[in-house]
Amino acid sequence: MTFLLLLTTIFFSGCNGQTKPIGEEPLDLESFNFETKISDLYPEKNKSKEYKGCYEIKGALHTQIVVTDTTFVDKHSANKKAIGLEYHQQSSTSIDKMAVFENQMFQKINIATTIEGKIKVINAVADELTEQQSEVLFKKIVGKYGKPKKLKNNWNDKLTIYEWTVKDRIIRFVSSYNDESTTMKLVIDEEKQTIASGEKKPHYIGYLFIINPALKDEVFGKIKTGDFVFLDETID
């Protein structure tokens, strides 16, 4: 049997509706309740015994590592202040199912919380999309939330951030083209016990952000690592 694994280079740096840890069932992004406890999504049992400050979550083919980090204000100054925690999923395979929105599956989940553990923002990543699939996902979000506001991404000014504001959440979506220049693909043949380089296939990636409006001031302009680089707009 042959499996195709996707290893992508990235930047380092009672539960209401969600009853199982991430990896055990897809997180429902449409009905997600910000009162959900972070300990329900990343329970003690999933803490890595091998890597300090990490969690191990169930993937379709193998365990995925989630690294925790601290969010600082004025990180590089003597007066830096910790304002939260970040949970970054380090990699994924194309068949992982960590979250779902309008029947679209997402292979990665990243979360940021306050120091006390209250969830501020969830980021879901849909990888290896065709241009048509990316457009369909965008149309699904428009169909649910209406016409979006357009913003320019601060990290890459060629990218557009689409934003919707509703009663209990702020939604942002970015579609980015990946030419796979920073991606290694491996084809593993279990019968022959061989590993070979897989063919690179440029594709689109969808970044969906679900933001807690009550904590938006701790989100915008504050979280700038990993996939969160696609969150912020340019400020003139």
Side-chain angles (χ1 to χ4, degrees):
M1 185 178 293
T2 299
F3 293 110
L4 178 65
L5 301 185
L6 175 66
L7 304 174
T8 303
T9 301
I10 65 172
F11 294 87
F12 284 89
S13 60
C15 176
N16 296 300
Q18 171 67 15
T19 58
K20 293 185 178 180
I22 290 173
E24 293 188 15
E25 68 178 16
L27 182 67
D28 188 343
L29 299 172
E30 294 176 72
S31 62
F32 181 77
N33 191 315
F34 283 106
E35 295 303 315
T36 301
K37 296 179 181 178
I38 193 66
S39 59
D40 288 333
L41 302 182
Y42 299 111
E44 188 74 19
K45 68 175 184 176
N46 285 356
K47 280 190 174 181
S48 176
K49 295 179 175 61
E50 185 175 358
Y51 304 106
K52 185 178 180 180
C54 296
Y55 291 83
E56 297 182 5
I57 60 176
K58 183 179 179 181
L61 297 179
H62 55 76
T63 297
Q64 300 292 355
I65 298 295
V66 175
V67 173
T68 60
D69 198 4
T70 303
T71 308
F72 289 99
V73 173
D74 298 326
K75 183 175 182 178
H76 301 292
S77 76
N79 298 318
K80 69 178 183 180
K81 177 184 178 183
I83 62 168
L85 297 174
E86 301 169 23
Y87 298 76
H88 295 273
Q89 185 179 326
Q90 297 301 287
S91 62
S92 65
T93 68
S94 58
I95 58 174
D96 283 330
K97 298 178 180 180
M98 299 301 178
V100 61
F101 180 94
E102 290 280 342
N103 297 318
Q104 171 64 55
M105 288 296 172
F106 294 78
Q107 293 79 39
K108 288 177 64 181
I109 287 282
N110 305 294
I111 299 179
T113 73
T114 64
I115 288 293
E116 295 77 23
K118 191 169 182 60
I119 295 174
K120 299 188 288 190
V121 55
I122 289 182
N123 165 230
V125 182
D127 205 350
E128 293 206 346
L129 300 176
T130 64
E131 184 175 9
Q132 182 180 11
Q133 289 172 326
S134 179
E135 291 174 354
V136 168
L137 174 55
F138 174 67
K139 289 178 181 178
K140 286 180 178 180
I141 305 172
V142 171
K144 184 171 182 66
Y145 297 116
K147 184 178 180 180
K149 178 180 178 181
K150 292 183 180 181
L151 305 165
K152 186 180 292 185
N153 181 249
N154 185 53
W155 182 69
N156 182 346
D157 61 11
K158 294 181 180 180
L159 298 178
T160 299
I161 298 172
Y162 297 95
E163 181 185 87
W164 298 262
T165 301
V166 294
K167 182 179 179 180
D168 61 345
R169 64 199 59 215
I170 299 169
I171 302 95
R172 288 191 172 187
F173 176 74
V174 175
S175 179
S176 175
Y177 181 71
N178 182 3
D179 63 6
E180 295 208 331
S181 61
T182 60
T183 299
M184 180 183 357
K185 282 191 171 180
L186 302 177
V187 178
I188 301 176
D189 191 318
E190 292 186 336
E191 293 180 357
K192 297 180 179 179
Q193 295 185 335
T194 60
I195 300 176
S197 296
E199 180 185 358
K200 293 188 176 185
K201 296 180 180 179
H203 57 273
Y204 287 81
I205 306 174
Y207 298 89
L208 183 62
F209 299 90
I210 311 295
I211 301 144
N212 185 342
L215 297 170
K216 65 180 182 180
D217 291 340
E218 289 195 30
V219 174
F220 297 134
K222 304 295 195 304
I223 308 171
K224 303 178 180 180
T225 58
D227 295 318
F228 286 116
V229 298
F230 295 98
L231 173 61
D232 276 333
E233 77 274 20
T234 299
I235 304 297
D236 296 327

